[in-house]
Amino acid sequence: MQFNKVTTTIIESLKKIAGEEFVFTDAESLHKYGHDETEDLNFPPQVVVKPRTAEEIAEILKICNKENIPLTPRGAGTGLSGGALPVYGGIVLSMERFSQILNIDERNLQATVEPGVINQVFQEAVMEKGLFYPPDPASKGSCFLGGNVAERSGGPKAVKYGVTKDYVLNLEVVLPTGEIIWTGANVLKNSTGYNLTQLLTGSEGTLGIITKIVFRLIPLPKHNLLMLAPFFSAIKAVEAVSAIFRAGITPSAMEFLERDAIDWALKYVDGISVKVKDEVQAHLIIEVDGNDREVLMKECEKIMEVLQQFECDEILFADTQEQKNALWKMRRSVAEAVKTHSVYKEEDTVVPRAELPALLAGVKEIGRKYGFQSVCYGHAGDGNLHVNIIKGNMDNEQWKNVLPQGIREIFQLCVKLGGTISGEHGIGWVQKEYMDIAFNDKSRALQKQIKLVFDPNGILNPGKIWI
């Protein structure tokens, strides 16, 4: 792709639109906004702009279209697929100032928010009113809701309650050509025209810039019980996942951690003490929730009966909120623990949950074939396995040219098992070369044509999803 550079004249125009204090060209800012949490990649933009209104964004996009300037929208920068990397330079449009919860409608169980609201801040605000917004990514303490919508983010609660897309009712969006639209209506049922709301949800900032989100909410469950189940075999642990559902239980969370993930997280996080026997190879974190504690206790008893069929050791119950928080802190810290241990790549694989044993075994076999170690963990309840590939002793030549062959085989295995190449992290910059595994030529062509309809000049988040 060929784009023009941002000139001093364009920078002056940006200052008039957003305010001089919200336009940045200093080296520190350009470096900061040139990376997210994807590996060690950095693509500095030429300028960073922090607008406050949809109208300001519309004016900026009109300039980009007229002057052929690439623009990359950015939330909190917590992405893991390079979706917010300005790979062609140009303008980074930061949504940090869109940080207001505009309305919590208790009568209709809905909320209208701006995209720069932090996930956890929103969750806590609706909880105060006895309401519940379930999607809870590992980065919920820092990630923005706009980024969650752009990536169809999930989290541990997805197994029972669904992912971000299942809560989006309507979006205000600035199109790449500068028009402002609403994609739908604030209703639970809508068969009026094409579903633009869901098309924009998960579009990774390539079709439009979200400026308002209308979410549906649900009543907050009164109780939850949490257990930690150790297994002498990682394969047996993931075999148990499907068996629990077949026994008639739907947990509110079911997380898998293999041994290295547990060990590294315990070393990384202070103040967490979990005794792990030498022979234990994996854990499942299992949560049930609801409004009747006795019913939940019976569900736990039934789950324990199932687990005993899969070489499970003594199960630990988190008796206090402090213990529950510690277990969840351990789980949410795994990615950071791996990052501090070694250079790594994280693949976001997903298959039907009953196929997890085949996926896990296949990942380990592919690792032996190509000479890499993997640390696996993830949302086992919905078949979403995060495969962290550790560079370890691989030399740079192997890492750069051989490893991609192994990753391709992992993705091919996912598709063969009925899954696909990303469950919640998106495609972005780093996974686009594998899209031919997930879609045939015609499917890819249709999706590229959709991009062209929304963004005829290709200026919005270029270089993402499609090669």
Side-chain angles (χ1 to χ4, degrees):
M1 296 182 183
Q2 295 294 322
F3 294 106
N4 293 327
K5 297 289 186 181
V6 178
T7 64
T8 54
T9 302
I10 291 172
I11 291 175
E12 290 305 310
S13 297
L14 297 175
K15 290 178 179 179
K16 290 179 181 178
I17 294 169
E20 186 169 353
E21 67 269 37
F22 299 113
V23 177
F24 304 86
T25 56
D26 61 288
E28 183 179 353
S29 295
L30 300 186
H31 178 80
K32 174 183 176 181
Y33 290 89
H35 69 88
D36 58 10
E37 294 299 318
T38 310
E39 302 169 23
D40 56 354
L41 302 173
N42 197 304
F43 298 86
Q46 291 177 269
V47 59
V48 176
V49 186
K50 299 181 181 181
R52 181 62 191 93
T53 68
E55 290 73 21
E56 289 177 4
I57 293 174
E59 291 304 309
I60 293 168
L61 282 167
K62 288 174 183 177
I63 290 174
C64 290
N65 269 289
K66 181 181 178 182
E67 303 294 339
N68 192 33
I69 303 295
L71 182 144
T72 303
R74 179 185 173 96
T78 58
L80 294 167
S81 62
L85 299 178
V87 295
Y88 290 98
I91 298 171
V92 160
L93 190 88
S94 170
M95 301 301 289
E96 291 169 76
R97 297 175 65 206
F98 284 74
S99 58
Q100 300 299 308
I101 299 174
L102 301 174
N103 179 46
I104 298 175
D105 181 353
E106 296 176 68
R107 291 174 60 245
N108 288 305
L109 275 68
Q110 296 180 7
T112 303
V113 304
E114 292 182 328
V117 174
I118 292 172
N119 180 291
Q120 186 171 344
V121 170
F122 179 54
Q123 283 192 332
E124 292 174 352
V126 301
M127 281 181 183
E128 289 179 3
K129 299 180 181 296
L131 300 173
F132 189 30
Y133 175 72
D136 57 344
S139 58
K140 70 175 186 176
S142 56
C143 63
F144 289 174
L145 291 171
N148 294 170
V149 173
E151 300 290 341
R152 294 194 200 104
S153 297
K157 296 291 193 300
V159 61
K160 180 175 181 179
Y161 292 106
V163 298
T164 301
K165 71 176 179 62
D166 300 307
Y167 294 85
V168 179
L169 297 176
N170 201 0
L171 299 169
E172 182 187 69
V173 176
V174 184
L175 298 176
T177 44
E179 297 89 352
I180 302 172
I181 67 167
W182 281 93
T183 59
N186 301 356
V187 292
L188 298 174
K189 295 171 70 175
N190 188 343
S191 62
T192 310
Y194 294 135
N195 195 335
L196 295 180
T197 304
Q198 288 300 318
L199 180 59
L200 267 293
T201 301
S203 63
E204 303 190 36
T206 63
L207 301 182
I209 297 175
I210 298 165
T211 49
K212 290 187 180 70
I213 310 162
V214 181
F215 286 118
R216 75 176 181 93
L217 306 171
I218 60 177
L220 180 67
K222 294 178 182 178
H223 305 288
N224 64 71
L225 300 176
L226 187 66
M227 62 181 81
L228 182 68
F231 292 81
F232 300 120
S233 162
I235 296 294
K236 288 292 184 182
V238 290
E239 285 178 357
V241 171
S242 176
I244 290 171
F245 289 88
R246 296 198 305 271
I249 307 294
T250 300
S252 52
M254 185 180 292
E255 300 290 295
F256 167 78
L257 300 92
E258 70 170 333
R259 181 59 186 255
D260 283 344
I262 300 164
D263 288 344
W264 292 1
L266 291 175
K267 291 177 183 176
Y268 178 77
V269 181
D270 293 330
I272 297 179
S273 178
V274 177
K275 293 183 179 180
V276 184
K277 294 180 181 179
D278 291 343
E279 58 268 34
V280 167
Q281 295 302 310
H283 279 83
L284 289 179
I285 298 175
I286 305 170
E287 180 192 80
V288 294
D289 71 0
N291 296 319
D292 189 324
R293 189 175 178 86
E294 289 187 13
V295 170
L296 298 182
M297 288 299 298
K298 290 179 180 178
E299 289 186 349
C300 287
E301 290 172 4
K302 196 168 185 178
I303 290 171
M304 292 172 67
E305 291 176 6
V306 173
L307 296 182
Q308 294 308 319
Q309 303 170 34
F310 295 92
E311 301 179 18
C312 180
D313 198 20
E314 184 177 355
I315 296 168
L316 169 70
F317 273 85
D319 295 321
T320 66
Q321 189 60 47
E322 183 179 5
Q323 290 177 338
K324 293 175 184 178
N325 292 341
L327 286 180
W328 281 121
K329 184 177 182 181
M330 178 183 73
R331 166 60 187 91
R332 294 182 186 281
S333 301
V334 171
E336 285 298 316
V338 172
K339 183 182 294 187
T340 60
H341 187 89
S342 172
V343 174
Y344 78 109
K345 291 180 181 291
E346 182 170 354
E347 308 306 336
D348 176 40
T349 63
V350 62
V351 295
R353 69 170 72 96
E355 306 304 331
L356 274 174
L359 175 60
L360 181 60
V363 166
K364 298 303 181 182
E365 178 60 33
I366 292 167
R368 287 188 288 270
K369 177 179 176 180
Y370 288 93
F372 63 79
Q373 177 191 358
S374 63
V375 178
C376 299
Y377 61 92
H379 314 303
D382 48 25
N384 187 193
L385 187 71
H386 299 319
V387 180
N388 281 246
I389 299 173
I390 310 303
K391 185 177 182 183
N393 295 323
M394 296 183 76
D395 60 37
N396 289 335
E397 170 65 21
Q398 290 174 303
W399 186 250
K400 182 178 180 181
N401 297 317
V402 177
L403 179 60
Q405 300 172 40
I407 294 173
R408 176 165 284 272
E409 286 197 22
I410 290 173
F411 288 152
Q412 288 170 338
L413 175 62
C414 288
V415 172
K416 181 180 178 181
L417 293 172
T420 192
I421 70 175
S422 179
E424 60 182 5
H425 292 170
I427 300 303
W429 171 251
V430 297
Q431 306 292 24
K432 61 183 183 176
E433 66 182 279
Y434 305 109
M435 286 291 273
D436 63 295
I437 300 171
F439 297 107
N440 65 22
D441 291 347
K442 183 60 177 178
S443 294
R444 297 199 307 279
L446 283 171
Q447 294 183 65
K448 290 178 182 179
Q449 288 167 27
I450 290 170
K451 164 69 172 172
L452 191 62
V453 169
F454 277 80
D455 185 14
N457 294 320
I459 55 94
L460 185 59
N461 209 8
K464 310 301 166 52
I465 305 179
W466 310 111
I467 293 177

